[in-house]
């Protein structure tokens, strides 16, 4: 007997496996970057820091997008109570996305970036060489094509089936994501204008449209694992995303303080981004509240842990670590320091990595024909959660310490007394070693998580045989 | 939450609130657009500055450096490097890379010709003049 309500949900499996593979690649490059902070010439000139960093961040974006798509393919048929419009299109788009992504990463690693740019039409329409948007033009066009095909597929599925709050919010988030990505093709020759529109992609993704996706996925996971009434969950979901967009849209202003835009953004950005933790705090309350009111004990306790972990760590990373440097008088000193790196890591992990892993952890057993993974595999997953989370915590505290010392030495003293950038970096080595330790901890947690997929089948079969 | 407050009501608040703030943001961005030419000294964006920005992008400089505080945090801020080091140092530095000092962070050699070195320096000179509300706090960036 199938554990899936709809056959076409199966396409999600490909996306989840692809996402986890790229996740591992992202972390391996992350460890290399951490080492290069301490031993500057490691792998130079074969993989210079800027190339490794581009691979690290681009893999993150691609695997999270893959995770969002897989989640949508799994969730939408169930919410709409109908088969996916075209499972074949979903499979084809997966392979196109994976191959385009792999070719892009190989291009970064094997071809000098300037040569890659010249060979891929960057002289016709220059879009490359801006942080996170480094992809060659054909890759950017490919992302748009894959996104349109994906949105067509799930939108038609929702249109022909039941329309729930979760699927509508998810659709709005995904359409918004695709729409904002179009600004990656906007690259005015005035750097100030370029930077402003660049944030339309970067900020309005992670502190805008992606929060809709996050909210919808959390709501779905909580309905499934707690059995709480939809009406209650829907109300929470709409309130959370209202606060997310009401604070997050004008919160964009916290990126406009010192890049050449008018001074009034310091007021707008400070006020609205100071409120940005609210929706994340509501997500934490939401998760605990629903679990308290649960109507069933779901056998997949690992998925429940990842879900609650996401609600808590998202608040700490995006909410708290965002707040510590978001007010403009504070940001004047912290802007572009290791504090920014600390916040970036914890926010992406807490909010987006964990929600995708929670979805995978919930859906994968069902895709493999059982309601939950065997107990031994679930125990490994829970160990993995704690090891990854503590590893990330060590990294983030180390980077925060590095940031505070950097600001103290390099930013606060006046001209003449302030220490130069590279001399300051030499003073931060203790924290960078600590960061490496945290990063290796994170990697081992991830390896435990990945191996949990291969554990416990035998025990289960033995039990079944004994029962028979 | 009280039972009088329905999910439809919550949904309508979401649509209304979002629409209001999207429009407000659009108005502010429109106003900001008018101010950008003066604040960024757009009249000083010469063809050399435009070419310099293209070199900046196609060598992925942002992958190590920050520019006006944005980018990677591995190498020094370059928004004010024109003030900190001056044009001759910038060009000599780029020609001398990598230093090859063992264990130290290495900058790649980009094989830029004299014209390209002039262009990137012009770009950094122009960037140095952008009104950044007095950021960074001191010349170390």
């Amino acid at each position: 007997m199938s554990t899936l309500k709809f056959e076409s949900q199966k396409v999600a499996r490909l996306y989840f496996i692809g996402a986890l593979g790229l996740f591992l690649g992202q972390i391996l490059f992350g460890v290399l970057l951490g080492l290069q902070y301490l031993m500057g010439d490691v792998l130079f000139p074969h993989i210079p820091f800027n190339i490794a960093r581009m691979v690290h961040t681009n893999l993150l974006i691609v695997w999270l997008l893959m995770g969002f798509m897989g989640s949508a393919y799994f969730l939408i048929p169930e919410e709409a109570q109908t088969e996916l419009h075209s499972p074949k299109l979903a499979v084809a788009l997966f392979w196109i996305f994976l191959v385009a992504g792999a070719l892009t990463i190989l291009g970064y690693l094997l071809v000098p970036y300037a040569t890659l740019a010249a060979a891929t039409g960057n002289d016709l329409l220059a879009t490359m060489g801006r942080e996170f948007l480094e992809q060659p033009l054909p890759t950017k066009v490919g992302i748009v094509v894959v996104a349109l095909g994906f949105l067509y597929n799930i939108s038609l599925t929702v249109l022909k089936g039941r329309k729930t709050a979760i699927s509508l919010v998810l659709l709005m988030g995904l359409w918004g994501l695709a729409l904002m990505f179009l600004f990656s093709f906007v690259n005015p020759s005035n750097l100030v204008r370029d930077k402003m529109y660049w944030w339309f992609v970067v900020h309005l993704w992670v502190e805008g449209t992606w929060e809709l996706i996050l909210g919808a996925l959390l709501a779905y996971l909580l309905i499934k694992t707690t059995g709480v009434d939809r009406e209650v969950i829907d109300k929470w979901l709409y309130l959370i995303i209202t606060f997310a967009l009401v604070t997050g849209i004008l919160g964009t202003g916290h990126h406009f303080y010192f890049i050449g835009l008018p001074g009034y953004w310091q007021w707008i950005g400070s006020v609205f981004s100071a409120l940005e933790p609210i929706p994340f705090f509501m997500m934490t309350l939401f998760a605990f509240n629903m679990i308290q009111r649960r109507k069933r004990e779901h056998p997949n306790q690992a998925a429940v842990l990842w879900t609650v972990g996401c609600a808590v760590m998202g608040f700490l990373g995006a909410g708290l670590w965002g707040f510590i440097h978001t007010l403009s008088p504070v940001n004047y000193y912290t802007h572009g320091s290791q504090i920014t790196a600390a916040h970036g890591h914890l926010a992406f992990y807490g909010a987006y990595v964990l929600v995708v892993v929670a979805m995978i952890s919930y859906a994968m057993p069902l895709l493999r024909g059982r309601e939950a993974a065997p107990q031994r595999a679930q125990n490994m997953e829970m160990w993995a959660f704690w090891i990854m989370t503590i590893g990330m915590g060590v990294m983030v505290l180390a980077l925060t310490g590095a940031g505070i010392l950097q600001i103290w030495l390099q930013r606060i003293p006046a001209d003449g007394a302030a220490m130069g950038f590279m001399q300051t970096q030499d003073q931060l080595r203790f924290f960078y070693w600590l960061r490496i330790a945290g990063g290796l901890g994170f990697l081992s947690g991830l390896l435990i998580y990945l191996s949990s997929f291969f554990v416990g089948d035998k025990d289960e079969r033995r039990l079944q045989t004994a029962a028979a | 939450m009280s039972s009088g407050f329905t999910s439809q009501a919550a949904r309508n608040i979401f649509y209304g609130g979002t629409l209001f703030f999207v429009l407000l943001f659009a108005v502010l961005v429109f106003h900001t657009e008018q101010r950008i030419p003066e604040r960024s000294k757009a009249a000083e964006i010469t063809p050399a500055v435009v070419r310099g920005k293209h070199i900046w992008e196609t060598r992925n400089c942002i992958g190590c450096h920050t520019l006006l505080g944005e980018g990677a945090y591995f190498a020094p801020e370059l928004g004010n490097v024109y003030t900190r080091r001056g044009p001759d140092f910038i060009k000599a530095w780029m020609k001398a890379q990598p230093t090859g000092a063992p264990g130290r962070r290495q900058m790649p050699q980009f094989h830029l010709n004299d014209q390209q070195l002039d262009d990137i320096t012009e770009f950094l000179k122009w960037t140095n003049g952008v009104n950044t509300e007095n950021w960074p706090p001191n010349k170390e960036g």
Side-chain angles (χ1 to χ4, degrees):
Chain A
M1 196 194 80
S2 174
T3 44
L4 292 177
K5 297 200 175 79
F6 296 92
E7 195 59 22
S8 54
Q9 289 177 288
K10 270 196 183 141
V11 297
R13 187 179 164 140
L14 264 182
Y15 282 82
F16 290 153
I17 294 171
L20 290 176
L22 299 178
F23 184 15
L24 181 61
Q26 186 217 341
I27 301 312
L28 291 175
F29 274 88
V31 171
L32 171 63
L33 291 164
L35 281 174
Q36 287 181 335
Y37 257 91
L38 285 155
M39 293 169 266
D41 52 357
V42 171
L43 291 189
F44 186 87
H46 310 292
I47 309 181
F49 183 90
N50 63 338
I51 302 297
R53 184 182 195 259
M54 189 161 61
V55 174
H56 177 66
T57 56
N58 284 214
L59 280 175
L60 167 72
I61 296 166
V62 171
W63 87 257
L64 287 179
L65 291 180
M66 226 175 232
F68 290 162
M69 290 184 194
S71 302
Y73 286 131
F74 185 84
L75 169 165
I76 291 285
E78 216 177 282
E79 288 289 294
Q81 294 186 333
T82 176
E83 292 288 356
L84 192 63
H85 175 68
S86 168
K88 277 193 188 127
L89 178 63
V91 173
L93 288 174
F94 169 77
W95 290 108
I96 293 171
F97 197 36
L98 187 72
V99 170
L103 284 177
T104 304
I105 300 294
L106 286 176
Y108 291 162
L109 289 170
L110 301 177
V111 184
Y113 193 68
T115 315
L116 185 67
T120 54
N122 194 58
D123 293 328
L124 299 173
L125 180 63
T127 65
M128 291 171 70
R130 295 171 306 147
E131 196 185 4
F132 312 130
L133 304 181
E134 298 94 344
Q135 308 82 27
L137 191 57
T139 310
K140 284 199 180 84
V141 174
I143 292 173
V144 172
V145 170
V146 168
L148 283 179
F150 160 73
L151 288 169
Y152 162 82
N153 209 351
I154 57 166
S155 301
L156 281 194
T157 312
V158 171
L159 282 178
K160 74 174 173 180
R162 183 178 66 149
K163 291 149 196 76
T164 64
I166 288 176
S167 54
L168 287 178
V169 171
L170 184 66
L171 269 186
M172 282 189 277
L174 291 166
W175 274 100
L177 182 161
L179 193 68
M180 297 325 287
F181 183 70
L182 295 180
F183 282 97
S184 73
F185 295 95
V186 177
N187 182 14
S189 53
N190 185 330
L191 178 76
V192 173
R193 200 170 262 135
D194 167 13
K195 280 177 174 289
M196 183 171 78
Y197 289 111
W198 179 85
W199 282 114
F200 278 45
V201 186
V202 177
H203 176 92
L204 292 176
W205 266 18
V206 296
E207 290 164 66
T209 55
W210 286 30
E211 283 187 62
L212 267 54
I213 299 169
L214 169 62
L217 297 182
L218 270 183
Y220 172 80
L221 285 163
L222 288 170
I223 284 189
K224 292 294 161 182
T225 53
T226 65
V228 168
D229 193 33
R230 227 171 237 281
E231 171 73 13
V232 180
I233 299 253
D234 288 357
K235 256 188 285 192
W236 273 95
L237 175 58
Y238 276 121
L239 281 181
I240 287 170
I241 62 170
T242 302
F243 274 97
L245 292 190
V246 162
T247 62
I249 293 172
L250 289 188
T252 315
H254 66 185
H255 301 291
F256 292 174
Y257 298 160
F258 311 116
I259 59 171
L261 300 176
Y264 56 70
W265 285 109
Q266 299 200 20
W267 284 100
I268 299 169
S270 295
V271 168
F272 283 88
S273 68
L275 302 174
E276 279 189 55
I278 294 174
F280 285 99
F281 187 61
M282 287 173 71
M283 285 186 212
T284 316
L285 291 179
F286 178 39
F288 279 105
N289 216 312
M290 293 308 106
I291 283 168
Q292 253 168 17
R293 298 202 212 173
R294 67 185 177 276
K295 293 186 172 147
R296 60 179 297 204
E297 293 297 336
H298 198 277
N300 191 343
Q301 283 301 304
V304 175
L305 178 65
W306 291 110
T307 306
V308 176
C310 169
V312 174
M313 298 309 292
F315 169 66
L316 290 181
L320 201 60
W321 250 256
F323 180 76
I324 59 171
H325 61 148
T326 204
L327 300 174
S328 75
V330 177
N331 195 255
Y332 182 67
Y333 293 100
T334 61
H335 182 48
S337 70
Q338 294 297 325
I339 299 284
T340 319
H343 162 61
H345 282 87
L346 195 58
F348 263 101
Y349 172 69
Y352 299 118
V353 170
L354 284 179
V355 81
V356 170
V357 174
M359 275 302 298
I360 294 177
S361 180
Y362 171 76
M364 233 9 191
L366 297 165
L367 288 163
R368 297 170 83 187
R370 53 201 182 196
E371 203 180 0
Q375 193 55 47
R376 207 150 73 85
Q378 284 197 46
N379 292 346
M380 278 178 77
E381 272 192 61
M382 295 196 227
W383 275 103
F385 167 80
W386 286 109
I387 295 171
M388 282 166 73
T389 301
I390 291 168
M392 180 55 75
V394 169
M395 272 182 70
V396 166
L397 289 175
L399 289 174
T400 306
I404 292 170
L405 184 54
Q406 181 185 19
I407 290 158
W408 180 257
L409 296 173
Q410 184 195 322
R411 289 275 171 82
I412 292 182
D415 274 341
M419 203 181 257
F421 179 89
M422 285 310 297
Q423 288 115 291
T424 304
Q425 291 296 306
D426 287 336
Q427 304 300 314
L428 309 180
R429 294 180 69 85
F430 166 73
F431 293 108
Y432 290 149
W433 278 115
L434 208 57
R435 183 261 292 271
I436 282 282
L440 289 173
F442 189 91
L443 174 64
S444 52
L446 175 59
L447 291 174
I448 293 171
Y449 174 63
L450 294 179
S451 44
S452 77
F453 288 97
F454 304 97
V455 160
D457 286 341
K458 264 189 222 150
D459 306 351
E460 211 172 50
R461 242 174 278 137
R462 212 176 301 133
L463 277 176
Q464 279 167 357
T465 327
Chain B
M1 260 169 266
S2 71
S3 54
F5 182 67
T6 61
S7 62
Q8 277 89 342
R11 188 189 61 201
N12 293 339
I13 293 171
F14 167 69
Y15 286 136
T18 302
L19 187 66
F20 177 78
F21 280 96
V22 166
L23 291 175
L24 185 55
F25 184 65
V27 168
L28 287 165
V29 165
F30 183 77
H31 180 263
T32 293
E33 268 284 350
Q34 320 298 310
R35 301 275 312 277
I36 287 177
E38 162 238 323
R39 294 188 54 97
S40 63
K41 299 189 187 150
E44 293 172 23
I45 303 180
T46 59
V49 172
V50 175
R51 288 194 302 269
K53 182 172 186 273
H54 194 69
I55 294 168
W56 168 269
E57 288 166 359
T58 51
R59 271 65 183 179
N60 193 29
C61 307
I62 204 82
C64 290
H65 293 277
T66 48
L67 189 64
L68 305 187
E70 294 169 358
Y73 321 110
F74 188 68
E77 161 68 26
L78 296 184
N80 67 341
V81 72
Y82 195 85
T83 302
R84 186 166 66 245
R85 301 292 200 179
D88 297 336
F89 181 96
I90 294 172
K91 288 183 245 185
W93 177 265
M94 291 196 63
K95 279 189 202 168
Q97 299 308 306
T99 62
R104 303 294 296 175
R105 298 182 192 173
Q106 299 296 318
M107 174 165 161
Q109 173 53 252
F110 291 108
H111 305 288
L112 301 181
N113 61 34
D114 288 342
Q115 158 92 58
Q116 290 173 314
L117 286 169
D118 287 338
D119 290 344
I120 190 102
T121 309
E122 282 300 305
F123 170 64
L124 293 172
K125 181 184 171 188
W126 169 79
T127 306
N128 194 56
V130 169
N131 180 349
T132 57
E133 301 286 314
N134 291 322
W135 192 91
N138 60 49
K139 72 174 167 52
E140 299 302 339

